[in-house]
Amino acid sequence: MLGLAAVSNASPVRLAIMLGFVAAYNCALMFCIIDQNRFAKHGRKLARASLILDTVVITVAIAGPADPMAYLLYWFVLVGYGYASGRTSGLMLVTGGTLVANAIGTLYASSSNVSGFATLGMRSGVLILGALVALFISKTRSQDDLASERGSYLHAILTCGAHLTSFRSVHELTLYVLEAAINETNAGGGELLLMNDESGQLETEAFYAPESSDTPPSAALLRSYANWVASSGREFLVRSGGRSSEETELERDDRPAMSAPLLWQSSSSGGDNRVLGVLTVWGHPGEDFGEDALDMLRIFAVIAGAAIVNLRLYTNLQKQFLRTLQSLANGLEARDEYTRGHSERVMQVSCLIAQELQVPAESIDSLRNASLLHDIGKIGVPDAILRKAGKLTVEEWETMRRHPIVSEEICKPLGLSHDVLFLIKHHHERLDGKGYPGGIPAQEQPLLQRILVVSDSFDAMRSRRPYRERMPQEELIGELNRSAGRTLDPTVVDALRRLIDRGDMDSVYEEHDRMIDGTMASMKAKKLKAA
């Protein structure tokens, strides 16, 4: 607008109309770029439209007989495109368009006479010079951008690699890698598929397509890409318009796409690489990926494959350790018929209460692991204390009170989450803050910990012991009611009472009652025989 006002000698009305038109479509452009979603959806189309509209306004300006210098404004179009884009073919197309528009405006203003053609030749030479300047800017900026992009690529790769060690879920890991690959390659979306070892088929593990992006390619097209990469073990690039870097029989789409295999080498494969999965991303219609995009995708595929293999190995090793500790816990409890199966029952009761309170599934998994391991620290408590029927001495009580801390120390090397370790350590806290080992106040006790405390207490009351029978249900309910709000969380106790009323606890204690009844009958038979 400043350029038009400076070089145009048009009448105020005509100039005002042109400036108003420029202001109108620039306001529309600004409306789109201030919102990220609108810009992602319409920005590329409007960028082309703005070039055309700028050219139209300048052509109208030079078509006036009193605007001889307005054609210089075409330099804004040429240099602006050269600065914004590194595509030589695109710059040639824009240059051709400005030359044609300049010819129309110049010849119209001169009524196609001889002097008009001389003016056209001179103006065309100036525009060609502007195109050369734009080309120089484009190439210089492309080199600077390439160096900057490679630096950002390296930073992105290092950042991604550092983050991958923190994931404990294959799905979360693959989703993070996929989003990083899409962002760094300026793709419109992507998916990551992993090979199912049992079926031998690729299954989608992560899919990401921003809501503001174009409609994703068809599922059949994406699957054909993935199947070709999985069978060949090679990456490929399909450029805009369906031109492929590989001689394949793939379907074509007007969007560019590229895929890379996730490879790994197993000891059973004789040193050959096996396809663990496929990483695929697609671009925007009519726009090709950058020069380094395929290399970038290949690197993401390599680090993703290594991270997935390591995570699976770590997860399997962790599961083996968990099973070992659970076996130790079961062996510890099996020394006494009355405590046998305690951790398993506490786990079942805890999970039932958590489901009754609509606790999320991932939190129930943490509660399950903590319940099974909460008493593993009793492995360091002598049998004389564990199985003592009478009251514990002060020293014996101090030894018993240390078992939650020992449980946490035993479980720490497993790499369990902080939440699970917290539950293991604090399963003997009380709502009034007088529990052990931390004496945590009520406001600092999370729901999962309160559930575990109630479940552990309930099992102690519900189970039989050498020195007493199990509490009758009326007495047990009464004890729960007295403890609710004082030592036990009332909301959790209410959920437990509902489960008891529905009979959901009967199946949990069926085996325990049968085993204890058999033990009691055997002991009575021995006493009768001895008498």
Side-chain angles (χ1 to χ4, degrees), residues 316-388:
N316 291 335
L317 187 61
Q318 186 185 49
K319 288 180 179 179
Q320 291 176 6
F321 276 125
L322 280 173
R323 284 194 291 268
T324 301
L325 280 184
Q326 290 166 9
S327 297
L328 286 174
N330 293 334
L332 175 67
E333 295 171 357
R335 293 182 296 179
D336 186 348
E337 287 96 345
Y338 295 91
T339 60
R340 179 180 298 170
H342 166 71
S343 295
E344 179 71 24
R345 294 193 299 273
V346 170
M347 182 271 292
Q348 294 182 47
V349 174
S350 297
C351 291
L352 287 171
I353 294 175
Q355 292 169 3
E356 181 72 15
L357 294 175
Q358 298 182 346
V359 172
E362 58 271 16
S363 297
I364 294 180
D365 288 338
S366 298
L367 185 60
R368 179 180 292 107
N369 288 330
S371 301
L372 290 172
L373 298 173
H374 74 285
D375 272 347
I376 188 65
K378 286 183 178 179
I379 198 170
V381 180
D383 281 356
I385 297 177
L386 284 176
R387 304 178 68 176
K388 186 175 181 179

Side-chain angles (χ1 to χ4, degrees), residues 185-188 237-238 256-258 281-283 287-291 293-294:
T185 58
N186 294 319
L237 169 66
V238 175
M258 52 185 177
V281 298
W282 60 85
E287 295 186 9
D288 285 328
F289 289 110
E291 296 180 6
L294 186 57

